[in-house]
Amino acid sequence: MPSSQQIKLILTIVCALAVLMVVSQGSGAGLVNTIYQESAKKSVKTIKISMPPSSTAEKYFKTHSMEHMVGAIVQGTVNVKPADPVRFLRESLGNVSTPKIIIAGPPAGGKGTQCEMLVKTFNFVHISTGDLLRSEVRSKSSLGTTAQSYMTKGQLVPDELVIEMLLQRMSKDDVREHGWLLDGFPRTVNQARAMIKEGIVSDGIVLLNVPDDVVSQRITGRRTDPETGAVYHLTFKPPPPEVKSRLLQRSDDTVDAIKERLVAYHKNLNPLLTSFTCPIHRIEAGNLPPDVVFPMITEAIQSARWTKLAMQMGISGVL
């Protein structure tokens, strides 16, 4: 829980950011400009703030979508008009939960690659149901043993079993501290409803839109390392020479199988999305390089996080 002095520092920084927005955006600073311009100027006069080079500050500002954060904090405080704003902010910020984000998209839509980049940037815990299943089976846990009994028969693992694995994983300390990034689940309305019923609720969904022909090209060249679970592509992400000989192609990575999977994906997508009430951010990823798509995703995720902050502060319509 932040101390009073820390909260006062946060307020000062917010005011400084408001001034930064006023200077860089003029009248486009919006509510921060109109509400806090004068108080921000007065606050900045009382202290010295050492700002990093403008390019570094701008990159950080954009990466973390801090305009949304400033808007939520300032507007929330002004709307509520608490007698003790420091106490109000201390309680509001102290109760903000860790991020919970779902990454959705077609098979081979780039979800795994983007999750790796997000983990490096934000330290989220990446949870892939495929990886989770393999881990439980390898550990020979009770859940893994039960899952293995279905898999050896060529049957799908029941949704209830996957949900139970997710609940166990999400209860771990690392997830509680850093938040989760869920990849590859849910795929159907029933799975989404089962998640919500068990209290697994997302702050936002990032949907990567990728054309079917691009998906087909990516999947046919995809190979998996059976020992590590690492996924490579013979053209776009070539494997190291020392592992190439042991790579496997999934039985459902054929052209015919891909067509069936895409039909199922498109059939389930809209009903699946309407099962959730959280914000949905659609990213037109197409065949763009991962480093071009990544900033779009970070902006969407941070927008979802600050929207949640605004809701937790008891306000709406801010972002």
Side-chain angles (χ1 to χ4, degrees), residues 241-260:
E242 62 271 18
V243 305
K244 188 173 183 180
S245 61
R246 69 172 183 247
L247 298 183
L248 301 175
Q249 183 179 29
R250 284 171 41 172
S251 59
D252 59 350
D253 278 356
T254 63
V255 174
D256 290 339
I258 293 165
K259 290 180 180 178
E260 291 183 11

Side-chain angles (χ1 to χ4, degrees), residues 1 26-27 37 48 52 89-90 105 138 157 180 182 245 257 264 290 295 300:
M1 181 74 71
S27 59
Q37 186 174 13
K48 292 182 179 180
L89 280 177
R90 182 174 65 246
R138 281 197 303 268
V157 177
W180 50 259
L182 184 56
S245 61

Side-chain angles (χ1 to χ4, degrees), residues 9-27:
L9 178 59
I10 291 172
L11 282 170
T12 304
I13 292 173
V14 166
C15 292
L17 286 170
V19 172
L20 179 62
M21 293 176 69
V22 169
V23 172
S24 63
Q25 300 180 20
S27 59

Side-chain angles (χ1 to χ4, degrees), residues 41 74 85 156 174 193 200 213 236 267:
K41 287 180 180 178
V74 173
L156 293 175
D174 60 339
R193 289 174 178 170
I200 303 176
D213 60 331
F236 306 126
K267 179 182 178 180

Side-chain angles (χ1 to χ4, degrees), residues 9 25 93 175 190 203 216 244 252 255 261 274 309 315:
L9 178 59
Q25 300 180 20
L93 297 177
V175 178
N190 287 338
D203 300 336
S216 181
K244 188 173 183 180
D252 59 350
V255 174
R261 291 166 66 189
T274 56
L309 170 62
I315 57 179

Side-chain angles (χ1 to χ4, degrees), residues 206-226:
V206 176
L207 174 63
L208 302 181
N209 286 327
V210 181
D212 288 358
D213 60 331
V214 175
V215 169
S216 181
Q217 181 185 23
R218 291 178 180 177
I219 289 181
T220 52
R222 188 166 64 180
R223 301 292 186 273
T224 303
D225 185 340

Side-chain angles (χ1 to χ4, degrees), residues 125-316:
V125 176
H126 177 206
I127 301 177
S128 163
T129 50
D131 292 342
L132 194 57
L133 276 168
R134 285 187 288 271
S135 175
E136 291 289 340
V137 169
R138 281 197 303 268
S139 67
K140 298 182 179 180
S141 66
S142 59
L143 290 177
T145 301
T146 305
Q148 183 67 47
S149 67
Y150 289 95
M151 296 164 67
T152 53
K153 297 175 185 176
Q155 299 175 351
L156 293 175
V157 177
D159 293 341
E160 295 79 8
L161 192 59
V162 177
I163 294 292
E164 192 171 350
M165 290 182 182
L166 284 175
L167 287 170
Q168 283 196 10
R169 183 66 186 92
M170 290 175 176
S171 68
K172 302 296 184 182
D173 290 342
D174 60 339
V175 178
R176 291 179 177 274
E177 181 178 355
H178 301 293
W180 50 259
L181 194 60
L182 184 56
D183 164 22
F185 196 88
R187 290 190 176 97
T188 67
V189 172
N190 287 338
Q191 291 173 347
R193 289 174 178 170
M195 279 179 55
I196 296 169
K197 182 180 178 180
E198 294 296 334
I200 303 176
V201 181
S202 173
D203 300 336
I205 299 173
V206 176
L207 174 63
L208 302 181
N209 286 327
V210 181
D212 288 358
D213 60 331
V214 175
V215 169
S216 181
Q217 181 185 23
R218 291 178 180 177
I219 289 181
T220 52
R222 188 166 64 180
R223 301 292 186 273
T224 303
D225 185 340
E227 294 186 10
T228 65
V231 179
Y232 300 96
H233 192 281
L234 298 181
T235 302
F236 306 126
K237 188 182 177 183
E242 62 271 18
V243 305
K244 188 173 183 180
S245 61
R246 69 172 183 247
L247 298 183
L248 301 175
Q249 183 179 29
R250 284 171 41 172
S251 59
D252 59 350
D253 278 356
T254 63
V255 174
D256 290 339
I258 293 165
K259 290 180 180 178
E260 291 183 11
R261 291 166 66 189
L262 285 172
V263 168
Y265 168 75
H266 291 300
K267 179 182 178 180
N268 288 319
L269 182 59
N270 285 333
L272 172 64
L273 295 177
T274 56
S275 301
F276 294 95
T277 58
C278 61
I280 299 171
H281 302 268
R282 300 173 185 267
I283 307 294
E284 297 302 325
N287 206 17
L288 296 174
D291 58 346
V292 174
V293 177
F294 184 67
M296 305 179 195
I297 295 177
T298 58
E299 181 177 358
I301 288 178
Q302 295 294 47
S303 175
R305 294 180 69 188
W306 302 134
T307 298
K308 181 180 179 180
L309 170 62
M311 293 174 64
Q312 289 182 319
M313 293 178 74
I315 57 179
S316 60

